[in-house]
């Protein structure tokens, strides 16, 4: 096995004027030094990849578009040898004007990142790309419902505010890693920490023009994902280098490289929200820019989620939402836990409190008056069902003592409580398939493409199979993900696994049960109804007459029983109006945060936290509790400390010594979560990986306002920002005088 | 430039020639094939590379192998199998004090080191000791609970 080190662009936008690889190629232990030019000359592999748009070069071609972009790769016997040689690579750059901010990038005359429209991959059926490369627009999505302008004209009050979220990092503790190896010229095996094995397989197959069946992606349990490991990232390069050197190649990013590989979208949105004088929302006009960075990745889908997500969990009769994904000379932004919704919730939940205070209403009351209920129409036109927002908000308000709270303030340190409520969708339509295998000893294998990334997917799927088949959990195993063996799953993101794959596994179990009945009934010599339950094929009316599963399989001589399940959720949105069905089911959550603000330092301390989420049928209560805790920890980071800081396109805080993450000391001892479960036996299971995250930041911001009367529009709520706000001008609200 | 170094890792003793720039982390992973020691940040902040060197918790990403001549290193692998191993390991499994598990070995090893030196820490001391470990999955609450549990069983009934 050989090792790879990447040479990265030191500048954010430049033409590659020349390369001198001689010294690097001659360095000890080096097998190859490759540039984009080499790939182009050699042929036999696509030059660019990307899940939706094939715009990202494996290695930069002629131009670099962000500081940190891979320009050359060294493959050597050891990582150290590769590093030494990488330092000897010489590349000349001719700097080009660069742009880093999405607002600046869409302006006329801004530096352009792309001249030619990239190829669109047809496999993302829920995504249509509306690009405008002259303005660095990767794609645009609109939701048009009713006549928002007219409704705003007639509203008693119109509130206009701008909110911004910075670029941030996922920080899975395990950085991106993969090993690529070829068997001959036409079979590729990649071991990777990917969240999307089948999409990755398709991307690699297309890249090398080989059938999918000749590409094998193997995924063990991985050290966190959070969206960073969705879609091809480092695998195309590793696969290419493995082909060039005819040896297996390992690529494992350092943490510093991780910062330069994929990010959370910075976002900038202006909300104009119309309300009646007694607090009914009548319209929302939103224009938002998602900073895609230098390459599209999944931005075209992100703005769809943002397009409907900016509505919030409220019944708003008229909407015009326009979301743009904008190219800038910064590292590519990708999928991120909370997928577009963190940024939306930051904006609309902050604004809800601003509106409440302006109208002299309690923020709780304003929300209760407007929260979506069954039968309400969403901004996409779909009629909502299974709405639990009111109950969720009520629970956190009660649990936090919100209504009876005594505000405490000794002049220096003040306490306050804030609320938030968030809606999030899941990828729709989407497909999951599963195979369940019952062996001759009665043990069970669950074979799926769902990746275990710490969320407890395998535990949950195993629990579902054990429950459906009525066998002990200890005899159920969940197979490692291997595209040679696992049936198709779309992707392990969007909190869709427990729900969609869970259903596929249940279906596969029902298929196994049906076959067991067919095989076992003759063994029971009965004309009465036979069922497969609790590990035995039995006469329904006389369970003592039964044969256990193992015996059925053995006596039937079939070796094993294979069950299949396939679930495809329906829906999708019109590419021009955003009308249709946005989500198969809705993630719903609420939060109440109590903070302490020290006026002398601006420091915000989270004192207590109440979270509530709708879970449907809870498959793994322990796992659910862990998601609650985990989302809070993650959210505290995003709310109080995390941001990628750039100086002229150079990342300034690209290490964990400079990019702050929450430790256990940043979490309040006083915290609790309610997981609202549906007691119906057949109720749908909802994923919990994301829903509890978006409410954290706005709840904290609303609590800060409650405590010290300061409203911040930009994240994070660092001590410095709070202090400046305490000392400077106050709220930027503009309420229409009407 | 290389240096001769004698290292005992989890009971296995080896004599090596190491480049003076090589980190203890890399020697553990590449030479001793210990995969529980992880490079989460490379700057000594995350704690995923924590090992015990002569009984003291050390960030192996900041330790130079060449300066560890004659040392005894203990990693999570030496703490026994999940089912019947060290009380710290058992406490973490019983409490399900992890999600992806990547940060877990570093925390377990650090705790083992703490409890060896200080058998009856208070919860506050445990929290302080563990605050130098990052867990992005956010299992912090359970990690502290598991640590308390381990501290209790390590030092007997009347521990605290």
């Amino acid at each position: 096995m050989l090792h790879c080190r990447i040479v990265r662009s030191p500048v954010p936008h430049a033409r590659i004027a020349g390369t001198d690889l001689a010294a690097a190629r001659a360095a000890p232990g080096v097998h190859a030094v490759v540039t984009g030019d080499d790939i182009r000359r050699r042929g036999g592999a696509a030059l660019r990849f990307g899940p939706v748009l094939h715009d990202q070069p494996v290695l930069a071609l002629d131009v670099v578009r962000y500081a940190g972009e891979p320009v050359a790769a060294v493959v050597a016997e050891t990582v150290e040898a590769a590093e030494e040689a990488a330092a000897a690579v010489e590349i000349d750059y001719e700097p080009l004007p660069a742009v880093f901010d999405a607002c600046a990038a869409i302006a006329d005359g801004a530096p352009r990142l792309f001249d030619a429209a990239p190829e669109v991959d047809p496999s993302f059926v829920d995504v249509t790309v509306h690009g405008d490369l002259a303005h660095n627009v990767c794609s645009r999505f609109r939701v048009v419902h009713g006549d928002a302008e007219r409704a705003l004209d007639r509203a008693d009050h119109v509130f206009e505010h701008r909110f911004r979220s910075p670029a941030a990092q996922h920080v899975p503790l395990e950085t991106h890693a993969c090993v690529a190896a070829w068997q001959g010229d036409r079979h590729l095996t990649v071991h990777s920490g990917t969240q999307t094995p089948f999409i990755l397989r398709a991307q690699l197959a297309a890249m090398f023009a080989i059938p999918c069946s000749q590409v094998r992606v193997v995924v063990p349990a991985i050290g966190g994902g959070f969206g960073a490991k969705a879609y091809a990232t480092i695998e195309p390069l590793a696969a290419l280098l493995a082909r060039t050197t005819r040896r297996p190649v390992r690529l494992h990013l350092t943490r510093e490289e991780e910062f330069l590989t994929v990010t959370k979208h910075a976002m900038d949105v202006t909300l104009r929200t119309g309300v009646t004088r007694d607090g009914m929302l009548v319209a929302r006009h939103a224009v938002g820019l998602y900073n895609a960075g230098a390459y599209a990745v999944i931005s075209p889908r992100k703005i769809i989620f943002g397009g409907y997500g900016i509505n919030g969990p409220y019944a708003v009769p008229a909407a015009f939402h326009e979301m743009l994904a904008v190219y800038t000379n910064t590292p590519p932004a990708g999928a991120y836990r909370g997928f577009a919704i963190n940024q939306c919730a930051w904006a609309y939940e902050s604004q809800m409190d601003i509106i409440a205070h302006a109208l002299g209403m309690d923020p709780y009351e304003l929300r209760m008056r407007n929260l979506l209920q069954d039968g309400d129409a969403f901004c996409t036109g779909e009629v909502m069902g299974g709405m639990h927002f009111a109950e969720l908000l009520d629970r956190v308000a009660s649990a936090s003592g919100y209504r009876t709270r005594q505000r405490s303030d000794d002049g220096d340190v003040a306490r306050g409580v804030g609320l938030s409520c968030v809606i999030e969708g899941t990828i729709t339509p989407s497909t999951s398939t599963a195979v369940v295998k019952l062996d001759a000893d009665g043990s069970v294998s669950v074979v799926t493409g769902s990746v275990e990334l710490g969320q407890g997917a395998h535990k949950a799927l195993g629990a579902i199979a054990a429950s459906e088949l009525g066998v002990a959990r200890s005899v159920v195993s969940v197979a490692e993900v291997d595209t040679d063996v696992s049936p198709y799953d779309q992707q392990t993101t969007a909190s869709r696994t427990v729900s969609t794959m869970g259903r596929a596994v249940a279906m596969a179990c029902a298929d196994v049960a049906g076959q067991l009945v067919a095989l076992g009934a003759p063994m029971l010599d009965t004309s009465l109804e036979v069922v497969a339950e609790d590990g035995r094929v039995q006469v329904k009316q006389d369970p003592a007459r039964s044969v256990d599963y193992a015996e059925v399989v053995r006596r039937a001589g079939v070796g094993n029983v294979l069950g299949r399940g396939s679930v495809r959720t329906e829906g999708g949105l019109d590419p021009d109006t955003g009308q249709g069905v946005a989500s198969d089911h809705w993630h719903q959550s609420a939060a109440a945060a109590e903070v302490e603000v020290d006026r002398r330092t601006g420091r915000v301390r989270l004192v207590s936290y109440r979270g509530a989420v709708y879970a449907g049928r809870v498959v793994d209560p322990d796992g659910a509790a862990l998601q609650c805790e985990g989302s809070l920890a993650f959210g505290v980071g995003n709310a109080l400390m995390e941001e990628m800081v750039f100086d002229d396109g150079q990342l300034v805080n690209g290490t964990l010594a400079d990019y702050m993450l929450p430790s256990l000391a940043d979490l309040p001892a006083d915290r609790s979560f309610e997981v609202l479960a549906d007691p119906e036996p057949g109720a749908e299971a909802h994923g919990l990986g994301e829903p509890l995250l978006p409410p954290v930041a706005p709840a904290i911001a609303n609590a800060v306002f409650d405590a010290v009367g300061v409203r911040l529009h930009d994240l994070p709520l660092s001590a410095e920002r709070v202090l400046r706000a305490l000392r400077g001008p106050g709220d930027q609200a503009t309420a229409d005088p009407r | 430039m290389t240096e001769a170094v004698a290292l005992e890792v989890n009971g296995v003793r080896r004599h090596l020639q190491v480049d003076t720039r090589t980190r203890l982390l890399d020697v553990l992973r590449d030479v001793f094939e210990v995969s529980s020691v992880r490079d989460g940040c490379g700057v000594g902040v995350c704690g995923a590379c924590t090992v015990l060197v002569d009984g003291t918790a050390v960030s192996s990403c900041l330790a130079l192998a060449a300066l560890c001549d004659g040392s005894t290193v203990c990693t999570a692998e030496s703490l026994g199998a999940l089912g019947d191993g060290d009380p710290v390991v058992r406490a973490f499994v019983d409490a399900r004090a992890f999600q992806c598990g990547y940060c877990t070995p570093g925390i377990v090893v650090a705790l083992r080191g703490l409890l060896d030196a200080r058998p009856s820490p208070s919860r506050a001391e445990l929290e302080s000791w563990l605050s130098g470990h990052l867990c992005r999955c956010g299992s912090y609450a359970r990690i502290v609970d598991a640590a308390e549990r381990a501290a209790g069983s390590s030092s007997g009934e009347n521990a605290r």
Side-chain angles (χ1 to χ4, degrees), chain A residues 460-501:
Chain A
L461 296 176
I464 289 171
S467 164
E468 293 290 320
L469 288 171
V471 300
R473 182 68 183 84
S474 57
V475 307
V476 178
S477 93
V478 180
E480 183 177 68
V481 175
D482 178 342
T483 59
D484 263 10
V485 168
S486 309
Y488 177 83
D489 178 48
Q490 192 156 328
Q491 51 195 108
T492 307
T493 65
S495 309
R496 58 182 295 280
T497 298
V498 158
S499 171
T500 311
M501 184 59 80

Side-chain angles (χ1 to χ4, degrees), chain B residues 14-160:
Chain B
R14 278 184 146 157
H15 293 267
L16 314 168
Q17 279 295 125
V18 295
D19 186 298
T20 49
R21 295 166 296 177
T22 303
R23 304 173 304 175
L24 178 61
L25 166 68
D26 299 311
V27 167
L28 291 174
R29 287 184 60 84
D30 299 338
V31 176
F32 288 89
E33 296 184 334
V34 170
S35 63
S36 72
V37 181
R38 285 129 189 204
D39 187 350
C41 71
V43 289
V45 165
C46 75
C49 69
T50 306
V51 298
L52 297 180
V53 177
D54 300 328
T56 303
V58 158
S59 290
S60 63
C61 73
L62 296 179
L64 292 175
L67 298 178
C68 295
D69 184 30
S71 290
T72 302
V73 180
C74 164
T75 74
E77 280 82 352
S78 73
L79 299 181
L82 293 180
D84 57 8
D86 190 279
V88 177
V89 173
R90 275 205 313 274
F92 272 68
V93 171
D94 291 344
R96 192 172 164 187
F98 52 85
Q99 291 176 57
C100 82
Y102 202 73
C103 70
T104 312
I107 294 174
V108 163
V109 162
L111 258 179
R112 180 71 271 155
L114 171 68
L115 295 176
D116 285 347
R118 222 185 137 52
S120 313
S122 65
R123 189 177 172 96
E125 281 173 303
L126 282 169
E127 286 179 345
S128 172
W129 189 257
L130 293 172
S131 62
H133 288 266
L134 293 179
C135 171
R136 188 52 154 173
C137 296
S139 304
Y140 291 126
R142 293 206 177 187
I143 287 169
V144 179
D145 288 344
E148 264 196 320
R149 201 190 284 215
S153 61
S154 281
S155 41
E157 273 178 290
N158 303 312
R160 283 163 280 137

Side-chain angles (χ1 to χ4, degrees), chain A residues 37 47 153 161 178 419 440 504 598 670 701 705 718 720:
Chain A
D37 232 22
L47 301 172
D153 266 342
H161 297 97
C178 75
L419 302 173
D598 189 331
D670 180 11
F705 183 84
S718 63
E720 183 183 343

Side-chain angles (χ1 to χ4, degrees), chain A residues 438 469 511-521 530 532 537 549 552-553 561:
Chain A
L438 177 76
L469 288 171
D511 186 6
V512 167
Q515 292 180 58
L516 284 168
V517 166
L519 292 168
V530 170
V537 175
Y549 292 164
V552 173
V553 177
V561 175

Side-chain angles (χ1 to χ4, degrees), chain A residues 604-622:
Chain A
V604 175
R605 189 171 74 86
L606 185 58
V607 170
S608 81
Y609 190 86
R610 302 283 176 266
V613 66
Y614 177 70
R617 182 167 58 93
V618 179
V619 167
D620 176 12
D622 220 17

Side-chain angles (χ1 to χ4, degrees), chain A residues 82-99:
Chain A
E83 244 159 35
E84 298 269 356
V89 168
E90 289 184 22
I91 307 192
D92 291 324
Y93 299 94
E94 282 167 10
L96 295 167
V99 64

